Amino acid sequence: MTRAALPGSQFPNGNLWKILPLAMVLCVTLTLPALAQEKEKLWRTLSVSGRGVETIPTTLAQVSLGVEIQGKTAQEVQQEAARRSSAVVAFLKSQNVEKLQTTGIQLNPVYSYTNNVQRITGYAANNTVSFRIPTEKAGTLLDDAVKAGATQINGISFVANDEAIAAAQKQALKEATQDAQQQADAVFSALGFKSKEVVSIQVNNASAPPPPMFLRAEAAKVADASTPVVGGEQQVEASVTLQISY
């Protein structure tokens, strides 16, 4: 049977079917080494994780304080708690504290047990607020807040300001990256390999852990004494993972 030549074809009539298989073989032969090289590039990688830590001074006190009132009726208790809380908030605003916010409002019955019988004997209301103040001003402010109506100091922690934390985060990331690179260099040197390029970068973390809380006390018990408040240091941590080909 005679095969017709394709229009415009330079191949003799009937010879195209002989040339196509050869072209396919050449294509496959050229592609396979490229795929093998690509797989080798992906397989020959080293993953290392570096860590960076920056220690910065704390300059702000994060304070939580509240007003707790007990009485016979829910309405009486809630009204008195609201009155005292308003006075405390007004005082804190006059001191230009930062990030002032209400963190809790509670009204609960108070029970007594007689002969295994539970009775409601009154109610307790508790309103709490939190705010930030420069550490050196915290002691005096706590004393004055008690005079304004606060009855509880729920906790105090120490933090750096936002600008210092942001700068420390950037520095910790640089340290983590350098740490990862140095680890990789040590491994390649020990094995006699030469690094080629960083093929992936993963930033795992760059944050300041939440500061611990201190100083839980009944404010009324410390109102007559000057409250000492001393800050400390805060750590900002970061980790970076590099994948390096060789």
Side-chain angles (χ1 to χ4, degrees), residues 153-212:
I153 301 173
N154 297 321
I156 181 170
S157 60
F158 303 100
V159 295
N161 61 50
D162 294 340
E163 292 78 11
I165 291 176
Q169 287 174 339
K170 293 178 181 178
Q171 183 60 32
L173 280 172
K174 291 181 180 179
E175 294 174 2
T177 304
Q178 293 171 355
D179 181 35
Q181 185 66 65
Q182 290 171 0
Q183 291 184 55
D185 292 342
V187 172
F188 287 138
S189 176
L191 296 176
F193 294 132
K194 185 177 180 180
S195 64
K196 294 182 179 178
E197 60 179 343
V198 176
V199 297
S200 73
I201 303 172
Q202 180 180 357
V203 178
N204 298 326
N205 189 29
S207 64

Side-chain angles (χ1 to χ4, degrees), residues 26-240:
L26 289 175
C27 180
V28 172
T29 303
L30 292 174
T31 303
L32 286 178
L35 290 175
Q37 292 174 5
E38 189 65 25
K39 287 184 178 179
E40 182 181 5
K41 181 180 178 181
L42 292 176
W43 287 337
R44 291 173 60 89
T45 59
L46 171 69
S47 294
V48 287
S49 294
R51 180 171 177 264
V53 179
E54 277 291 293
T55 301
I56 53 178
T58 58
T59 56
L60 297 173
Q62 177 78 40
V63 181
S64 173
L65 55 79
V67 171
E68 183 176 20
I69 302 295
Q70 293 189 9
K72 293 295 184 181
T73 68
Q75 183 177 6
E76 170 194 355
V77 167
Q78 184 62 27
Q79 287 179 349
E80 180 61 16
R83 185 188 68 79
R84 289 201 188 186
S85 296
S86 296
V88 172
V89 168
F91 164 73
L92 293 175
K93 287 182 177 180
S94 72
Q95 301 301 304
N96 298 318
V97 300
E98 300 177 8
K99 299 185 178 182
L100 176 63
Q101 62 179 348
T102 299
T103 55
I105 297 177
Q106 294 181 336
L107 176 64
N108 299 309
V110 177
Y111 297 98
S112 68
Y113 296 86
T114 304
N115 298 324
N116 294 325
V117 177
Q118 177 178 287
R119 295 176 56 251
I120 296 178
T121 58
Y123 292 86
N126 190 303
N127 296 352
T128 58
V129 296
S130 68
F131 58 90
R132 286 185 178 183
I133 190 76
T135 302
E136 67 272 12
K137 298 180 180 180
T140 301
L141 183 137
L142 289 174
D143 297 336
D144 292 340
V146 171
K147 295 176 183 178
T151 62
Q152 288 184 329
I153 301 173
N154 297 321
I156 181 170
S157 60
F158 303 100
V159 295
N161 61 50
D162 294 340
E163 292 78 11
I165 291 176
Q169 287 174 339
K170 293 178 181 178
Q171 183 60 32
L173 280 172
K174 291 181 180 179
E175 294 174 2
T177 304
Q178 293 171 355
D179 181 35
Q181 185 66 65
Q182 290 171 0
Q183 291 184 55
D185 292 342
V187 172
F188 287 138
S189 176
L191 296 176
F193 294 132
K194 185 177 180 180
S195 64
K196 294 182 179 178
E197 60 179 343
V198 176
V199 297
S200 73
I201 303 172
Q202 180 180 357
V203 178
N204 298 326
N205 189 29
S207 64
M213 297 295 290
F214 304 101
L215 187 63
R216 178 172 178 84
E218 294 293 332
K221 295 180 182 179
V222 298
D224 295 334
S226 177
T227 305
V229 177
V230 180
E233 294 180 328
Q234 181 176 4
Q235 285 190 339
V236 178
E237 300 181 2
S239 61
V240 173

